[in-house]
Amino acid sequence: MNTKLHRNEHGITALETAIILIAFVVVAAIFAFTVLSTGTFLTEKSKEASYAGLQEVRGSMELKGGIVLSKTTALADTLIFNLAPVAGGSSQDLSKVKITYRDKNFNKELSYSASTTVGTDNWIALDLEQTTPTALTILSAGKIAKIIVDPPTAITSYQTFGLEIKPPTGGVLLLERTAPAQIDTVTDLQ
């Protein structure tokens, strides 16, 4: 018998080569799938973040003009200003907007009233497009609302105060002013 033939095998057979090739292809396929899945996941997450940022911006409001301090009596004041959605912004439900008055003595959230007359510690929104005062609940794109706020205290000379306006979606609008030395019946706070 020829035993020399079986004793000296140094090469690889075609079957072993095929098994190694298939193993490399499977590993490469798994790696490619993982990379593609991760890329797709990250793309979706970045798209979600972009849309969330866009929603925040679209929900924001801006001040149109200045703030006027109106002294109705020696002990009662109202703050009057105009608000509008930012350019390209979405409509805002004003009944869900929170306005907080803040000064060195007070930090108070004021109540929204769907009335045309402002009461103690609340605020109202009026439709500027109407000839007679009409309460405004939905501030839609392109509209301007006249906001009248009754602060919890009378505003005195040199007093610094702030109004924090928080819509349900979008950025917070902070209006901070200091009253001048002389306060008239109607004082423009710029």
Side-chain angles (χ1 to χ4, degrees):
M1 231 195 312
N2 191 358
T3 57
K4 206 172 190 180
L5 255 173
H6 294 292
R7 222 182 289 149
N8 207 2
E9 293 181 21
H10 289 298
I12 337 179
T13 64
L15 183 59
E16 292 170 335
T17 305
I19 291 172
I20 293 172
L21 183 63
I22 290 171
F24 280 130
V25 169
V26 168
V27 169
I30 291 171
F31 180 71
F33 176 76
T34 304
V35 168
L36 289 174
S37 296
T38 304
T40 304
F41 175 75
L42 291 176
T43 302
E44 286 298 316
K45 284 297 181 185
S46 67
K47 190 188 317 181
E48 288 175 19
S50 297
Y51 284 135
L54 189 58
Q55 265 315 94
E56 284 293 312
V57 171
R58 291 194 67 199
S60 297
M61 295 188 297
E62 65 182 341
L63 181 67
K64 292 286 190 178
I67 299 176
V68 173
L69 171 62
S70 176
K71 281 234 175 255
T72 51
T73 67
L75 298 175
D77 298 333
T78 56
L79 298 166
I80 304 164
F81 55 92
N82 296 330
L83 279 182
V86 295
S90 58
S91 299
Q92 293 288 340
D93 182 354
L94 294 176
S95 65
K96 295 180 180 173
V97 172
K98 306 288 184 202
I99 296 182
T100 304
Y101 174 85
R102 191 174 302 135
D103 66 17
K104 67 180 183 176
N105 298 316
F106 289 93
N107 184 21
K108 184 168 187 171
E109 186 172 301
L110 307 174
S111 307
Y112 168 77
S113 173
S115 173
T116 56
T117 56
V118 68
T120 305
D121 294 346
N122 73 7
W123 64 278
I124 62 171
L126 301 177
D127 190 346
L128 286 178
E129 294 178 357
Q130 305 297 322
T131 53
T132 59
T134 306
L136 183 66
T137 305
I138 303 296
L139 180 59
S140 55
K143 277 198 159 211
I144 297 176
K146 179 179 185 178
I147 308 295
I148 302 174
V149 175
D150 178 33
T153 182
I155 296 173
T156 58
S157 299
Y158 302 113
Q159 180 180 351
T160 300
F161 65 91
L163 292 172
E164 187 178 77
I165 302 166
K166 297 174 273 195
T169 61
V172 174
L173 178 62
L174 179 61
L175 307 174
E176 188 173 289
R177 299 292 189 269
T178 300
Q182 179 179 340
I183 298 176
D184 299 321
T185 306
V186 175
T187 306
D188 186 5
L189 300 175
Q190 304 280 321

